[in-house]
């Protein structure tokens, strides 16, 4: 008998991550690890100004520096029709500035040199003649008549207005407000923050002048979509472009867009005929690549005095920066913000959104979030907290009163979503129980008598992840399906190739386990490959928690396809009728006589050696999966804080997180995702901020100013689960990568407001810094 | 890291170091722990022509107490201060400051001397030295001079250290009698520079203050010695009213600016709150502690 490892990797088994061996040994292979013969290095000269006209660019001195091979400007790109490129939201973005610079840090020129030091040395030798223009940093002011027009190069663009978009039903919502006993309102700003993956963005572009083949090693969350966009933008034949996304050190949405650096490095390699590497530094990543959020939100809820929510009305203003480059499905101009009714059965809703250009970096990526769901979840959970204070009701019970009930699923929301499943009260009750809610409320009352400030914050969030269906959701027109190709070799070992791309999520383990579950091949015997467009089936990539809902479903479906064929082969081997063959955990046997069986490995060998007459050889297949709906993970997060009245410091004492992401494939990986997301949510709530001064200077351009939480200040997380399988996903799983970032900021802020609400403090915008808390306390007459 | 080009020197003796400093003048920069210098090179905020790495010079990492003086060498690292039982038992303000400097990784490499020579107004050690009335020994090829901490700092990142001089030794008057101290620091996260820091060092005789030192971090163009607050404490019994008054004087001595860490009013208030809390903590420590 063969020796078996105790865990094969069936669903629900926390096997160790297969990919970690190479990561913990320092043997990962990232873009910056790639070195090609004759490779040149690129550095980017960036604008010091937020808004300025360019009168001249003199590159003579830079070009004269020994080691400099070329200096690329917008003028040169213009000759190749590459000075501008399309964005993911149908706008255009300057690759290298020709007429004006429109944000601080914008790409102006690139130096290509024989080593990266020389490339940097040459940057200050480029002489750019700027005429500084007034900067527009406030989106409200940007929309005022007479504001300087940032995008004056666009035909017909006479203001800074980008889009107007509405969701829901205005008439029904107005009626709900007319019938309301009272209106609860909250104006809040979800500030600009940044995904800041540990690995910054980069490329090694290798265009072979003899064959015309372009191999692009890129930090890409969506290599296939990027290949198509490169073909369209650069006019290269798509079959000649190979994008390889090697190991990726975190993405969080930051590696969804195509950045100017990728385009210039590719163009430079094409023109020079040598490989060109560009890897941005931390400051470049923070000041120029995809930011997130930056939503000014005004929310109102029509309420009955008993606490029932009758309707919700939201007015949004998004600050999109100098180019409208949000990464989101074409139909939805404010992403999926209209999920704003959250976990609640709110009969009427109306969302009005407008976007403004400002002199800031473009982006609008979903930082660990499914297209603006974070902003929506934050607003509704903050509104419910506000309502609880104003109605003097317990925030937990107020939520229970309004939850969508389990028997209402599938639930059609007032803005058009069809929620697949949920048990919201169950998750909330578990969180209350685990934290000891009633005791904490008693303690809070005691403390309040002594003048001490303690708060308990709740967020009962609902996520919407796993786009498509393709008929509703796309990226730049490409439908959001995904794919899996599975080959089982004669010895029973398999290769699974996917259209999605891990950036640390553990795909090599999770997706192998789906194959294990469906075919019985141990996860250790399933090699998962992603990221190379020459070797993997077409897919839309990994973001918006879509890999398990879509790529995972494709993996299950292709495994089942192979299982059907395997069953025929097993019947042949067992000399039985296919109808009499049963399958269980990797064994095919004749119904009623389990001793007569063949393993999947026996069958795989037979697929190449001993087939039934007329059957095609081999055991492989490919599936393109277009999901019938999104998945709707949910949960309740509960935070306990203590506040120092002398310094305004907020200390998180407890954080209880109950997540329901349906069936958990590898519970350890799911836990890891939740811990990471909670840490990011904590960072966003208390410290992460990209802000600008009046001249448009970015004040968050390195990690001493853009603060990321470390293990030192991050609270201990107490995690729990409920399991409500997705009814439409082949294995009942939902996406989980982003739930914690989406749900937790509101829980942290609600805890602070719960501590100070009785003093008349209604809101403190994120990041909730100690000076903001102290100032609010002082204004309320409650500071030490 | 892609800094501008520079030459690298690794002297093995103090004499060699001083000769290099003398020869290179403005173009030479001493590399001790490198925790501020290296990031500045990386960001190209600094591009000295020459780095003089003193890490191979033997015997510069000392800490000892003799002849009524605590002496600290230029390669004495934050981590060593954090782990020193001498500092923990007799100089609590230093022990407490040490474990709040930056983060553990920086503390492994960074030095007290380097931090003082860098003279960041948000640096923690400057305030501690002001509170303890320290004196610095500045050596050059030609000789040596002693400068009091209060005369050393001259504005943001400015000191009276000359380009040809090495901060060769830190001298702190050894504590006598009952003493206590505290370092209070408000930071936005571990590893961040202080929003506000307050160093308190007390020496008591018969229940009264013989000397009080108060240093303020990150609330002015340089670390500040709150001399009026110190004077108000001298000779007093440390009742709550006296502490409150001193805290108000310390807040008045602060000269902060508004930035992302907080407003002027906020920072001044934290100085007041921290001075009050720090004095109480130092007082309790002096009462509990053994006589020196």
């Amino acid at each position: 008998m063969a020796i078996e490892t105790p865990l094969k990797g069936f669903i629900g088994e926390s096997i160790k991550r297969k990919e970690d061996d190479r990561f913990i040994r320092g043997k990962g292979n990232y873009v910056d690890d790639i070195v090609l013969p004759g490779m040149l290095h690129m550095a980017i000269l960036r604008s010091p100004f937020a808004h300025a006209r360019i009168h001249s660019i003199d590159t003579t001195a830079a070009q004269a520096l020994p080691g400099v091979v070329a200096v690329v400007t917008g003028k040169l790109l213009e000759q190749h029709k590459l000075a501008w490129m399309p964005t993911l939201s149908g706008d255009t973005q300057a690759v290298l500035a020709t007429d004006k610079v429109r944000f601080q840090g914008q790409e102006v020129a690139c130096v290509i040199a024989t080593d990266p030091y020389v490339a940097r040395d040459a940057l200050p030798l480029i002489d750019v003649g700027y005429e500084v223009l007034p900067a527009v940093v406030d989106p409200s002011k940007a929309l005022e008549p007479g504001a300087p027009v940032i995008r004056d190069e666009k035909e017909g663009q006479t203001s800074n207005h980008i889009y107007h978009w509405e969701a829901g039903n205005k008439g029904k919502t107005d009626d709900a407000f007319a019938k309301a006993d009272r209106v609860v309102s909250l104006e809040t700003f979800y500030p600009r923050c940044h995904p800041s993956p540990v690995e910054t963005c980069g490329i090694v572009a290798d265009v072979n002048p003899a064959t015309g083949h372009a191999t692009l090693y890129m930090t890409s969350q969506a290599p296939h979509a990027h290949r198509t966009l490169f073909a369209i933008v650069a006019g290269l034949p798509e079959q000649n472009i190979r994008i390889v996304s090697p190991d990726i050190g975190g993405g969080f949405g930051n590696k969804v867009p195509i950045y100017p650096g990728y385009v210039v490095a590719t163009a430079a390699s094409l023109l020079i005929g040598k490989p060109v590497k560009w890897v941005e530094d931390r400051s470049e990543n923070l000041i120029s690549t995809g930011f997130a959020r930056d939503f000014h939100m005004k929310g109102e809820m029509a309420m009955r005095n008993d606490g029932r929510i009758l309707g919700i009305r939201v007015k949004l203003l998004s600050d999109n920066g100098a180019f409208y480059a949000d990464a989101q499905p074409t139909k939805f101009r404010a992403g999926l913000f209209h999920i704003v009714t959250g976990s609640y059965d709110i009969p009427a809703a109306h969302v009005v959104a407008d976007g403004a250009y400002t002199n800031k970096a473009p982006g609008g990526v979903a930082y660990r979030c499914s297209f603006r769901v974070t902003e929506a979840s934050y607003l509704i959970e903050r509104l419910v907290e506000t309502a609880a204070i104003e109605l003097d009701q317990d925030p937990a019970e107020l939520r229970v009163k309004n939850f969508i009930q389990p028997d209402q699923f599938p639930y059609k929301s007032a803005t058009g979503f069809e929620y697949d499943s949920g048990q919201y009260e169950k998750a909330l009750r578990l969180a209350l129980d685990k934290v000891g809610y009633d005791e904490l409320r008693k303690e809070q009352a005691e403390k309040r008598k002594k003048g001490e400030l303690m708060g308990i914050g709740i967020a009962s969030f609902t996520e919407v992840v796993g786009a498509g269906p393709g008929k509703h959701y796309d990226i730049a027109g490409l439908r959001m399906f995904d794919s899996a190709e599975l080959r089982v070799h004669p010895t029973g070992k398999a290769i699974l190739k996917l259209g999605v791309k891990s950036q640390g999520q553990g795909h090599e383990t999770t997706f192998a386990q789906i194959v294990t579950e469906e075919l019985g091949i141990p996860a250790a015997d399933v090699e998962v490959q992603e990221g190379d467009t020459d070797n993997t089936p077409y897919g839309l990539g990994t973001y918006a928690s879509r890999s398990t809902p879509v790529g995972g479903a494709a993996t299950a479906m292709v495994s089942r396809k192979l299982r059907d064929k395997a069953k025929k082969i097993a019947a042949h081997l067992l000399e039985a009728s296919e109808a009499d063959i049963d399958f269980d955990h990797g064994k095919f046997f004749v119904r009623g006589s389990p001793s007569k069986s063949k393993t999947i490995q026996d069958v795989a060998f037979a697929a190449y050696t001993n087939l039934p007459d007329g059957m095609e050889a081999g055991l492989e297949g490919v599936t393109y999966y277009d999901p019938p709906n999104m998945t709707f993970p949910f949960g309740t997060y509960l935070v306990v804080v203590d506040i120092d009245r002398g310094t305004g410091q907020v200390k998180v004492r407890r954080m209880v997180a109950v997540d329901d992401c349906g069936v958990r494939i590898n519970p350890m990986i799911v836990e890891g995702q939740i811990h990471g997301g909670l840490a990011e949510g904590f960072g966003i709530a208390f410290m992460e901020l990209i802000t600008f001064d009046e001249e448009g200077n970015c004040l968050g351009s390195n990690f001493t100013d853009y603060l990321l939480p470390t293990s030192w200040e991050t609270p201990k997380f107490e995690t729990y689960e409920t399991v409500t399988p997705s009814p439409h996903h082949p294995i009942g799983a939902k996406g989980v990568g982003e739930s914690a970032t989406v749900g937790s900021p509101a829980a942290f802020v609600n805890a602070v407001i719960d501590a100070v609400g009785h003093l008349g403090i209604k809101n403190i915008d994120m990041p909730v810094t100690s000076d903001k808390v102290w100032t609010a306390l002082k204004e309320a007459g409650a500071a030490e | 890291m892609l800094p501008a080009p520079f030459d690298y020197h690794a002297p093995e003796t103090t004499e060699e170091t001083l000769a290099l400093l003398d020869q290179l003048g403005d173009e030479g920069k001493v590399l001790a722990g490198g925790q501020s210098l290296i990031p500045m090179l990386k960001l190209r905020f600094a591009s000295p022509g020459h780095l003089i790495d003193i890490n191979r010079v033997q015997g510069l990492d000392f800490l000892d107490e003799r002849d009524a003086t605590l002496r600290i060498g230029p390669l004495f690292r934050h981590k060593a201060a954090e782990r020193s039982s001498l500092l923990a038992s007799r100089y609590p303000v230093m022990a407490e400051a040490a474990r709040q400097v930056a983060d553990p990784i920086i503390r492994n490499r960074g030095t007290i001397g380097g931090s003082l020579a860098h003279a960041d107004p948000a640096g923690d050690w400057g305030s501690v030295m002001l509170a303890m009335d320290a004196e610095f020994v500045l050596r050059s090829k030609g000789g040596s001079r002693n400068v009091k901490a209060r005369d050393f700092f001259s504005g943001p990142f400015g000191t009276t250290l000359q380009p040809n001089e090495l901060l060769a030794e830190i001298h702190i008057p050894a504590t006598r009698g009952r003493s206590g101290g505290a370092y209070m620091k408000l930071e936005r996260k571990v590893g961040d520079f202080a929003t506000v820091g307050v160093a308190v060092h007390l020496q008591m005789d018969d229940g009264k203050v013989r000397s009080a030192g108060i240093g303020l971090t990150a609330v002015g163009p340089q670390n500040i010695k709150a001399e009026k607050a110190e004077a108000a404490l001298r000779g007093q019994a440390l009742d709550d009213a006296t502490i409150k008054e001193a805290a108000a004087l310390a807040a008045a001595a602060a000269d902060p600016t508004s930035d992302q860490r907080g407003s002027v009013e906020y920072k001044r208030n934290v100085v007041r709150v921290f001075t009050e809390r720090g004095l109480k903590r130092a007082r309790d420590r002096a009462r509990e502690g053994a006589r020196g």
Side-chain angles (χ1 to χ4, degrees):
Chain A
M1 255 186 82
I3 296 165
E4 287 182 351
T5 50
L7 293 180
K8 281 190 172 175
F10 289 105
I11 283 180
E13 291 180 0
S14 289
I15 58 169
K16 284 188 182 163
R17 301 199 335 163
K18 295 171 62 178
E19 47 268 74
D20 282 345
D21 236 22
R22 68 176 186 277
F23 293 142
I24 60 179
R25 289 168 203 266
K27 298 290 182 194
N29 184 40
Y30 298 90
V31 166
D32 205 16
D33 292 322
I34 291 163
V35 176
L36 300 178
M39 187 172 78
L40 303 173
H41 297 266
M42 185 174 98
I44 300 181
L45 180 73
R46 294 175 181 278
S47 168
F49 304 111
H51 199 189
R53 194 161 297 287
I54 295 176
H55 287 302
S56 60
I57 302 179
D58 183 354
T59 62
T60 321
Q63 255 157 340
L65 188 75
V68 170
V69 176
V71 180
V72 182
T73 61
K75 274 223 169 84
L76 177 69
L77 293 182
E78 238 168 15
Q79 295 165 19
H80 301 271
K81 295 198 164 57
L82 282 175
W84 291 80
M85 64 179 186
T87 70
L88 295 177
S89 276
D91 193 4
T92 49
Q93 175 175 354
V95 176
L96 292 177
T98 47
D99 54 339
K100 286 203 302 189
V101 287
R102 293 174 171 85
F103 69 93
Q104 187 188 51
Q106 187 179 339
E107 299 80 359
V108 175
C110 291
V111 173
I112 319 290
T114 50
D115 80 55
Y117 297 90
V118 171
R120 292 265 158 164
D121 293 345
L123 294 181
L125 302 177
I126 301 171
D127 187 13
V128 184
Y130 289 109
E131 174 198 342
V132 178
L133 301 170
V136 184
V137 291
D138 178 331
S140 305
K141 287 185 185 157
L143 295 182
E144 283 171 8
V149 178
I150 296 166
R151 298 299 300 279
D152 51 351
E153 94 290 354
K154 280 181 89 173
E155 194 80 19
Q157 182 82 36
T158 55
S159 76
N160 294 315
H161 187 258
I162 305 175
Y163 70 86
H164 175 84
W165 187 77
E166 296 189 19
N169 186 316
K170 183 178 187 304
K172 271 183 78 175
T173 308
D174 287 346
D175 288 348
F177 275 79
K179 282 186 211 133
D181 293 332
R182 60 198 297 161
V183 172
V184 169
S185 69
L186 179 73
E187 221 174 319
T188 182
F189 173 46
Y190 203 131
R192 181 175 281 232
C193 49
H194 196 281
S196 337
V198 168
E199 180 204 27
T200 59
C201 298
I203 185 172
V204 176
D206 182 16
V207 185
N208 184 321
T211 64
H213 278 85
T215 306
L216 312 178
Y217 303 90
M218 254 170 74
T219 47
S220 169
Q221 294 181 226
H224 293 278
H226 283 170
R227 186 188 71 197
T228 301
L229 294 174
F230 259 91
I232 293 167
V233 174
L236 297 168
E238 195 166 359
Q239 80 279 12
N240 284 359
I241 307 173
R242 176 183 171 209
I243 292 188
V244 181
S245 197
D247 285 331
I248 301 286
F252 311 111
N254 187 241
K255 291 165 183 169
V256 171
I258 289 181
Y259 293 118
Y262 300 156
V263 177
V264 183
T266 305
S269 178
L270 181 68
L271 295 174
I272 298 167
K274 284 188 174 177
V276 174
K277 176 185 275 188
W278 167 68
V279 177
E280 65 187 1
D281 67 24
R282 178 59 55 194
S283 294
E284 294 182 286
N285 181 255
L286 281 169
I287 64 175
S288 72
T289 66
F291 72 92
R293 328 293 194 238
D294 220 341
F295 258 33
H296 298 259
M297 309 185 277
K298 185 164 191 254
E300 289 177 304
M301 288 198 309
M303 302 208 58
R304 277 200 327 234
N305 282 333
D306 66 0
R308 272 291 286 153
I309 307 166
L310 304 176
I312 181 168
R313 192 149 61 192
V314 183
K315 200 166 164 25
L316 288 179
L317 175 59
S318 63
D319 182 339
N320 297 84
F323 309 103
Y324 182 38
D326 283 26
Q328 64 195 6
T330 311
K331 273 191 201 173
F332 305 105
R333 301 287 78 191
L336 305 184
F337 182 86
H338 50 303
I339 192 78
V340 70
T341 51
S343 307
Y344 309 102
D345 181 16
I346 304 178
H350 187 223
V351 175
V352 179
D354 287 274
Y357 288 121
T358 57
N359 288 117
K360 299 176 186 171
V365 300
Y367 166 12
R368 208 166 186 162
C369 148
S370 182
F371 314 121
R372 306 287 189 184
V373 176
T374 312
E375 291 91 322
S377 175
Y378 182 75
L379 182 63
I380 182 69
E381 290 303 315
R382 288 285 300 111
L383 270 169
V384 170
E385 172 71 23
T386 308
I389 291 172
E390 290 189 11
L391 272 66
D392 196 23
Q393 292 195 10
D394 181 273
E397 294 313 317
L398 184 64
R399 283 176 167 83
V400 170
K401 236 174 248 176
N402 288 286
F403 277 149
I404 301 163
Q405 296 303 307
D407 61 5
Q408 287 179 277
F409 292 94
Y411 171 84
K412 185 107 180 165
S413 84
T415 56
F417 288 100
E418 190 178 294
Y419 291 32
D420 66 347
S421 58
Q423 300 185 74
Y424 302 142
E425 186 175 347
K426 188 178 168 190
L428 172 68
R429 294 278 178 218
L430 180 60
L432 296 176
D433 178 48
K434 292 297 178 188
V435 84
Y437 188 70
D438 295 339
E439 283 305 308
L440 285 169
R441 283 289 174 209
K442 275 181 215 152
E443 184 192 343
Q444 182 185 40
E446 290 300 314
K447 287 218 151 109
R448 222 169 251 185
K449 279 184 212 153
K450 292 188 274 180
E452 292 172 25
L453 301 175
M454 166 195 166
I456 308 156
I458 305 173
S460 292
F461 67 94
T462 285
E463 259 257 77
V464 48
V465 304
K471 64 177 183 233
H472 295 311
Y473 304 102
D474 68 298
I475 287 292
L478 300 165
R479 285 185 161 208
M480 292 174 106
F481 58 83
D482 232 287
S483 60
E485 182 189 321
L486 182 59
R487 292 183 196 166
V488 182
H489 304 315
T491 55
K493 319 283 182 185
I495 289 186
L496 174 70
K497 295 163 181 256
L498 297 168
V500 292
K501 171 62 200 162
S502 179
Q503 307 119 44
Q505 290 91 338
H507 288 187
E508 290 170 44
T509 309
T510 299
F511 294 112
Q513 287 187 254
I514 296 175
V515 175
T516 307
E517 180 73 16
E518 298 294 338
L519 282 176
I521 300 172
D525 293 345
V526 182
E527 159 91 2
V528 176
Q529 296 186 350
E530 299 178 332
D532 183 339
T533 56
D534 270 9
N535 280 328
T536 52
Y538 203 100
L540 268 285
T542 291
Y543 42 84
S545 294
R546 65 186 298 281
S547 298
T548 293
V550 194
T555 302
M557 298 312 271
V558 75
S559 301
R560 289 174 192 179
K561 221 185 246 184
L562 267 58
R563 196 169 72 203
D564 288 344
K565 182 174 181 183
K567 203 172 181 183
K568 289 189 172 70
I569 300 170
H572 162 71
L573 297 175
L574 293 164
E575 296 173 339
S577 154
E578 190 194 336
D580 294 334
I581 301 290
D582 276 347
F583 175 79
D584 185 42
H585 286 71
K587 275 189 182 149
F588 296 90
F589 53 90
V590 181
R591 193 165 306 131
S593 52
S595 60
K596 219 183 155 198
S597 70
K598 292 286 171 190
T599 63
I600 182 70
Q601 289 81 7
D602 298 333
V603 171
F605 196 70
Y608 299 87
T609 59
N610 178 14
L611 285 160
D613 285 344
M615 184 183 278
E616 250 182 67
L619 192 57
E620 64 177 75
V622 60
T623 291
Y624 284 72
Y625 186 81
D626 188 354
N629 191 4
M630 301 276 235
T631 65
F632 294 75
F634 61 91
T636 286
Y637 296 152
L638 222 150
V639 171
V640 185
V641 299
D642 297 290
I643 297 177
D644 183 330
R645 288 171 48 231
T647 61
Q649 283 169 293
V650 177
K651 170 99 185 120
V652 177
R653 191 203 301 181
R654 300 271 306 275
M655 170 24 140
V656 169
V658 176
D659 270 279
D660 191 323
C661 58
V663 172
R664 296 184 174 202
I665 299 162
N666 181 317
M668 178 195 72
I669 290 178
V670 170
E671 282 286 290
Q673 288 279 16
I674 291 166
H675 275 252
L678 291 174
E680 284 183 319
F682 170 77
I684 291 163
F686 291 112
M687 58 184 79
E688 296 187 30
L689 177 68
I690 299 272
T691 189
F692 298 83
D693 68 13
E694 284 186 357
E695 281 151 16
N697 297 305
C698 179
L699 305 179
S701 63
N702 55 59
F703 281 161
T704 52
D705 294 323
Y706 189 78
L707 305 178
L708 293 179
T710 69
S711 59
W712 287 88
E713 51 275 329
T714 302
K716 179 179 154 59
F717 303 126
E718 305 164 47
T719 53
Y720 301 94
E721 64 175 306
T722 61
V723 177
T724 309
S726 167
H728 62 77
H729 187 273
I731 54 173
K734 304 175 182 180
V736 72
E738 298 158 338
S739 288
T741 331
V742 168
S744 64
F748 289 114
V749 178
N750 281 347
V752 173
I753 299 301
D754 185 71
V756 300
H758 66 290
L759 302 168
I761 299 168
K762 201 172 158 180
N763 183 43
I764 299 173
D765 278 335
M766 297 186 291
V768 180
T769 55
S770 50
D771 63 311
K772 279 195 208 166
V773 174
W774 182 83
T775 304
L777 288 173
K778 180 164 183 291
E779 282 165 8
E784 179 190 327
Chain B
M1 159 159 158
L2 301 167
F6 58 83
D7 284 339
Y8 173 80
H9 308 266
E12 292 186 357
T13 64
T14 303
E15 285 61 40
E16 231 184 297
T17 306
L18 297 176
L20 278 164
L21 280 170
D22 194 67
Q23 174 199 328
L24 298 168
D26 279 345
E27 275 296 291
K29 193 85 194 149
V30 172
L31 174 69
Q35 299 305 300
S36 297
L37 181 56
I38 300 289
M40 284 168 65
L41 291 173
K42 172 186 153 185
L43 295 168
R44 297 193 177 212
F45 289 165
S47 47
H50 301 264
L51 285 194
I52 305 164
D53 181 350
I54 60 169
N55 284 279
R56 288 187 204 178
V57 181
Q58 296 296 308
L60 297 187
D61 59 351
F62 58 86
L63 169 82
D64 61 54
E65 194 184 31
R66 62 190 152 86
D67 307 331
T69 302
L70 179 72
R71 294 159 201 266
I72 299 172
L75 284 183
F76 187 67
R77 299 182 201 272
H78 309 306
K79 182 60 80 183
E82 197 180 346
R83 289 181 178 161
S84 158
S85 53
L86 171 66
L87 297 184
S89 62
R90 294 188 27 85
Y91 301 88
V93 59
M94 289 190 70
E96 215 164 77
R99 61 173 178 264
Q100 295 183 75
V101 170
D103 60 41
I105 301 161
I106 287 175
R107 293 202 290 273
N108 283 339
R109 294 298 302 165
T111 65
I112 296 181
S115 171
L116 292 168
H118 182 57
D120 190 321
D124 301 297
W125 287 116
S127 310
V128 174
M129 295 302 149
L130 289 167
M132 303 191 79
D133 206 20
E135 192 172 77
F136 306 139
V137 180
L138 312 182
R139 282 187 66 186
S140 59
K141 195 182 170 194
S144 171
R145 64 189 176 111
N146 286 18
V147 176
K148 284 274 193 193
R150 75 169 80 93
D151 302 321
F152 182 69
F153 299 108
S154 59
F157 305 98
T159 69
T160 53
L161 188 72
Q162 295 304 303
N164 67 338
E165 286 178 323
L166 178 71
L167 200 171
E169 228 170 292
I170 300 161
H171 289 178
I172 293 167
T175 54
R176 296 188 281 120
R178 288 192 179 274
S179 68
Y183 189 69
M184 313 288 294
K185 181 174 181 178
L186 178 74
E187 55 187 9
R188 298 174 300 177
K189 59 171 272 195
V190 169
D192 187 24
F193 281 101
T195 298
V196 171
V198 176
V200 171
H201 181 58
L202 285 179
Q203 299 196 82
M204 310 286 288
D205 273 335
D206 298 328
K208 296 210 165 142
V209 176
R210 185 177 73 245
S211 76
I214 299 175
L216 309 180
T217 306
V219 286
Q222 63 194 56
N223 292 129
I224 292 170
K225 188 166 172 64
E227 290 176 333
K228 283 184 185 160
E230 292 174 351
L233 292 166
R234 215 168 292 136
Q236 302 292 315
L238 277 178
D239 54 58
D240 288 356
T242 310
I243 286 177
K244 263 197 174 7
E245 190 202 334
L249 288 167
D255 181 22
T257 50
S258 288
D259 57 21
Q260 284 199 79
R261 288 181 171 82
S263 65
V264 168
E265 189 189 17
Y266 172 67
K267 291 180 183 179
R268 234 187 251 287
N269 188 67
V270 176
V271 171
R272 185 184 59 76
V273 169
F274 274 5
T275 305
E276 198 174 319
R277 292 179 189 176
L279 280 169
K280 284 180 180 168
R281 193 188 284 182
R283 175 186 67 188
D284 294 346
R285 282 189 174 136
R287 281 180 186 157
E288 290 158 14
R291 295 182 67 89

